[in-house]
């Protein structure tokens, strides 16, 4: 009887110690092989060719941990530099994780097409440029080059002491 | 020649073997304490002085740079951060903004981390007008000077940094050996142990008590102050890091914003592709879809707010097309520590490490750094740090006066070698343990032993001078 009680007490102590120590170790949660926490992976595809007034399809694939996932998706587009003039477009879905909308842009110019995505408590908001008309395409090349060159020089961060 | 009297309430000479051994031990510990103090006191004074100033960095810089840190007039609506960045880069050609720091104070300027013509600077922008109120070279600020004095003795470089670490480690040994010497052998001895005897100003007893009594009261603070500084030291720091890693009690990956970042995942395939129509030789198409648009700083600020990151926080810009935005709290309450890496195109939070995720050693190190820098519990923390620093200076100064008063002409005035060799070897063994725990101490012990054996003992005058 005494031996059983001793084993029980020791077991309880070891379990308490294990619980205590597990509270002392670094918590990484669920992370993938690159050490990233679960996040929504998206692939936004715009029509390859589009003329003013013509309809083209925008598609978005959403996945979580590599699997397609049901999400709340709202598409929006606006002329570059005018986010206040955003027009929202409803998203439809036939396959899990794939959303699309028909896009009709009235005139030539550069547009930003964005998808606002929320699923499983996570959110993402990918956006791409779409240029219609030769002048817009040329301007888009300039914009893309400018974005590529925007990367700042290293700020010389480091430990604070 | 002045006699080498011992004013400590030390063990009175007795005839028993045990007492003789204790006296020898006392002499041996005193000898180590003397030499360590003589060599390292100047460095400890520099550390204490620079540290006492650095403790008050927020107040001092707040006063010195008041014009840059505050706006002239608080406006009704702050400009978007992206506009401030854009205006700054336009107004100051050759400037690249690498980070934006937001504070929860409508009267404060926005801090921009920048590189201007290859020089790392901090620019202070009025959030209502976008005008730059002032800029400072990062390594020429008031705090930067004292930080360099504290960590590299102003001269800079690895050697200076190692010397600081060596002095700090010997500081711990000085406290421990000092406590042994201070320990009251006579139970009724309150004066000279807990309270100083100041009735004879200028006497050796006066200076001895000004050395030993404050040293006793501050011993714990001194050890804590040194111990909390060691995790970022050059030699012992990595050893502490190794222990934390081995016990899984360190920082989780991506916890520290300055130690590497992941890559944005949205563009892995897109950035590898060139834009074919951008080349002039090819015909320009009627329409074209571009790549992903980078998020704005304001959009990332929105993410930080939704993730409940406490201000002040800094948003660092992505480095290159595959880089990420980094949101990090800095120099605030340790419990609010957070580092997030955000995909620069989709806004996906790729990593999110908070203080609660740290292992216990990382938590202790983080709290220790805050304590060391006087920001763990407000002004009482600063005051405690200041008292400790001033105490160290007083302890070092009083020891110097004591030594000068006692020092015989033509000799160093070191305490004599203990009569019992067992004491010498016993204390040496303890020092070797310290040397194993603190590698630079171990290295310095080897140097001292080699010097002692090969030089001092072989040259009569040196041997006499050192009382070897």
């Amino acid at each position: 009887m005494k031996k059983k009680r001793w084993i029980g007490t020791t077991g309880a102590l070891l379990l308490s110690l294990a619980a205590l120590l597990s509270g002392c170790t670094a918590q990484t949660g669920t992370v993938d092989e690159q050490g990233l926490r679960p996040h929504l992976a998206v692939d936004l595809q715009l029509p390859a060719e589009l003329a003013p007034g013509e309809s083209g399809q925008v598609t978005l694939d959403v996945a979580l941990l590599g699997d397609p996932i049901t999400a709340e998706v709202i598409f929006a587009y606006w002329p570059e530099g005018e986010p206040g003039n955003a027009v929202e477009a409803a998203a439809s879905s036939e396959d899990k994780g794939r959303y699309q909308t028909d896009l009709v842009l009235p005139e030539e110019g550069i547009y930003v097409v964005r998808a606002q995505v929320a699923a499983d408590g996570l959110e993402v908001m990918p956006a791409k440029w779409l240029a219609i008309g030769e002048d817009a395409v040329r301007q888009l090349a300039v914009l893309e080059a400018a974005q590529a060159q925007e990367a700042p020089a290293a700020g010389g961060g480091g430990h604070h002491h | 020649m002045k006699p080498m009297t011992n004013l400590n309430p030390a063990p009175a000479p007795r005839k028993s073997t045990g007492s003789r051994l204790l006296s020898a031990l006392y002499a041996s510990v005193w000898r180590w304490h003397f030499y360590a103090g003589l060599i390292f006191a100047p460095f400890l004074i520099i550390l204490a002085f620079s540290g006492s100033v650095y403790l008050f960095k927020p107040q001092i810089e707040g006063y010195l740079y008041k014009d840059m840190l505050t706006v002239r007039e608080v406006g009704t609506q702050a400009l978007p951060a992206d506009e401030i960045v854009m205006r700054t880069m336009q107004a100051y050609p050759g400037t690249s903004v690498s980070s934006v720091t937001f504070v929860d104070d409508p009267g404060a300027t926005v801090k921009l981390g920048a590189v201007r013509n290859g020089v790392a600077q901090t620019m202070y922008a009025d959030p209502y007008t976008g005008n730059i109120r002032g800029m400072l070279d990062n390594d020429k600020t008031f705090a930067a000077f004292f930080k360099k004095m504290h960590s590299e003795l102003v001269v800079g470089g690895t050697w200076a940094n190692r010397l600081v670490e060596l002095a700090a480690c010997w500081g711990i040994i000085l406290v421990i050996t000092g406590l042994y010497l201070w320990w009251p052998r006579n139970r009724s001895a309150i004066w000279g142990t807990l309270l100083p005897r100041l009735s004879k100003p200028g006497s050796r007893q006066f200076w001895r008590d000004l050395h030993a009594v404050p040293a006793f009261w501050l011993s714990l603070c001194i050890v804590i102050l040194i111990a909390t500084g060691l995790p970022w030291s050059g030699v012992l720091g990595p050893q502490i890091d190794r222990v934390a890693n081995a016990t899984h009690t360190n920082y989780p990956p991506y916890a520290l914003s300055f130690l590497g970042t992941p890559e944005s995942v949205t563009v892995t395939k897109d950035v590898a592709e060139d834009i074919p129509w951008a080349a002039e030789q090819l015909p320009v198409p009627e329409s074209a879809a571009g790549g992903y648009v980078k998020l704005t700083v304001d959009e990332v600020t929105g993410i930080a707010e939704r993730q409940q990151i406490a201000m002040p926080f800094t948003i660092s810009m992505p480095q290159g097309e595959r880089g990420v935005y980094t949101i990090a709290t800095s120099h605030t309450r340790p419990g609010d520590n957070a580092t997030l890496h955000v995909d620069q195109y989709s806004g996906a939070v790729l990593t999110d490490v908070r203080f609660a995720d740290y292992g216990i050693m990382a938590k202790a190190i983080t709290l220790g750094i805050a304590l060391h820098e006087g920001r763990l519990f407000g002004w009482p923390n600063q005051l405690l740090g200041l008292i400790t620093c001033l105490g160290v200076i007083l302890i070092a100064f009083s020891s110097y006066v004591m030594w000068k008063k006692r020092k015989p002409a033509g000799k160093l005035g070191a305490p004599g070698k203990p009569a019992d060799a067992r004491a010498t070897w016993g204390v040496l063994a303890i020092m070797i343990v310290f040397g194993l725990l603190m590698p630079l101490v171990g290295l310095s012990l080897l140097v001292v032993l080699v010097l002692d054996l090969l030089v001092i003992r072989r040259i009569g005058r040196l041997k006499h001078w050192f009382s070897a």
Side-chain angles (χ1 to χ4, degrees), chain B residues 61-383:
Chain B
E61 290 206 329
Y63 175 76
L64 287 177
Y65 308 134
K66 192 182 172 190
D67 289 346
M68 290 186 213
L69 297 172
T70 54
V71 298
R72 272 213 185 94
E73 195 178 337
V74 177
T76 49
Q77 183 71 45
L79 293 170
D82 298 281
E83 195 168 333
I84 295 172
V85 170
M86 192 188 69
R87 285 189 189 192
T88 304
M89 288 167 66
Q90 282 173 352
Y92 297 91
T95 300
S96 167
V97 175
S98 56
S99 69
V100 185
T101 299
F102 298 90
V103 292
D104 193 15
D105 176 5
T109 49
V110 173
K111 200 165 88 173
L112 304 176
V115 176
R116 290 192 66 216
N117 305 316
V119 179
Q121 287 192 328
T122 302
M123 305 173 87
Y124 298 90
D126 185 323
Y128 306 104
T129 63
N131 295 335
I132 294 298
R133 299 271 291 145
M135 59 188 87
L136 293 165
D137 284 4
N138 287 356
D139 58 0
K140 288 182 183 162
T141 62
F142 175 84
F145 175 80
F146 281 94
K147 185 174 154 186
K148 195 168 181 185
M149 183 191 281
H150 197 66
S151 58
E152 296 175 348
L153 306 170
V154 181
V155 293
T158 307
W159 278 99
N161 180 263
R162 299 295 182 268
L163 204 51
V164 166
E165 181 179 342
L166 182 66
C169 290
W170 274 101
I172 292 179
I173 297 174
L174 277 167
V175 171
I176 294 169
T177 52
L179 278 174
Y180 179 82
L181 300 175
W182 164 89
W183 191 261
R185 271 77 185 176
N186 181 348
R187 281 180 190 175
S188 62
I190 291 173
W191 293 99
T193 51
L194 299 179
L195 296 169
R197 294 162 292 184
L198 305 175
S199 56
K200 295 174 190 164
S203 66
R204 268 195 62 208
Q205 177 181 280
F206 173 87
W207 288 108
R208 181 264 169 206
D209 283 10
L210 276 187
H211 176 78
V213 176
F216 158 70
W217 286 110
L218 292 175
S219 55
L220 187 62
C221 292
I222 296 170
V223 169
I224 289 173
L225 210 55
I226 294 174
T228 51
L230 287 176
W232 59 64
S233 61
V235 177
L236 193 55
Q239 309 297 329
I240 295 170
D241 196 49
R242 208 166 292 159
V243 172
N245 283 335
T247 53
H248 304 289
T249 56
N250 210 346
Y251 295 94
Y254 302 124
L256 301 170
S257 57
F258 49 86
L259 283 185
T261 59
E263 287 187 342
S264 284
V265 294
T266 306
V267 287
T268 341
K269 60 177 189 229
D270 297 55
V271 289
E273 295 168 1
D274 288 329
I275 309 163
W277 40 265
E280 284 177 11
Q281 299 92 322
L282 293 172
V284 179
E286 290 292 323
S287 74
Y292 283 101
V293 181
K294 199 169 93 173
L295 294 180
T296 63
V297 175
D298 290 296
E299 285 164 341
V300 180
T301 308
I303 292 171
E305 285 167 359
R306 287 194 290 282
Q307 297 291 329
Q308 298 177 323
I309 307 300
M311 282 193 184
F313 60 75
T314 298
I315 294 177
S316 299
M317 310 295 188
Q319 296 285 322
E321 291 174 310
R322 292 178 190 272
V324 287
Y325 276 108
T326 300
I327 305 167
T329 57
S330 54
H331 298 266
T332 52
R333 294 173 296 277
D336 289 339
N337 273 18
T339 302
L340 284 77
H341 292 114
V342 176
D343 187 298
Q344 65 167 312
Y345 304 103
S346 74
V349 177
L350 302 176
T351 71
D352 180 354
V353 184
R354 313 283 173 122
F355 181 78
D357 301 320
Y358 296 179
I360 192 151
M361 274 188 74
K363 279 180 180 160
I365 289 168
T366 305
L367 291 171
I369 290 171
L371 179 75
H372 192 95
E373 293 184 339
R375 53 187 172 81
L376 187 61
F377 46 91
W379 67 264
N381 190 166
Q382 289 179 305
L383 189 64

Side-chain angles (χ1 to χ4, degrees), chain B residues 404-466:
Chain B
K404 290 301 282 183
K405 279 182 168 290
R406 198 192 61 221
K407 183 182 174 304
K411 279 188 85 174
L412 183 61
K417 277 183 79 172
D420 193 328
R422 287 178 302 168
T424 304
W425 287 108
V427 176
L428 180 62
I430 293 169
M431 290 298 161
I432 289 170
V433 172
F434 283 131
L436 292 173
L437 290 172
M438 298 178 276
L440 282 183
V441 169
L443 195 63
S444 65
L445 281 176
L446 281 176
V447 171
V448 167
L449 288 176
V450 168
L451 272 178
D452 188 35
L453 287 173
L454 298 183
V455 181
I456 297 170
R457 290 187 187 205
R458 287 163 191 259
I459 301 173
R461 286 184 67 181
L462 274 180
K463 191 175 175 181
H464 173 72
W465 196 70
F466 278 105

Side-chain angles (χ1 to χ4, degrees), chain A residues 53-121:
Chain A
E54 217 177 67
S55 177
Q57 196 173 59
V58 177
T59 62
L60 176 82
D61 291 321
V62 189
L64 178 63
L65 298 170
D67 297 322
I69 186 174
T70 304
E72 286 175 31
V73 179
I74 299 170
F75 288 104
Y77 60 90
W78 60 87
E80 164 63 21
E82 300 174 33
N85 292 328
V87 176
E88 289 191 353
S92 61
S93 176
E94 287 167 13
D95 301 316
K96 188 178 181 184
R98 169 158 284 204
Y99 298 85
Q100 57 270 322
T101 193
D102 288 328
L103 184 68
V104 180
L105 298 171
E107 54 191 48
E108 291 188 352
I110 301 177
Y111 293 85
V112 176
V113 181
R114 164 162 287 177
Q116 190 76 40
V117 188
D120 215 20

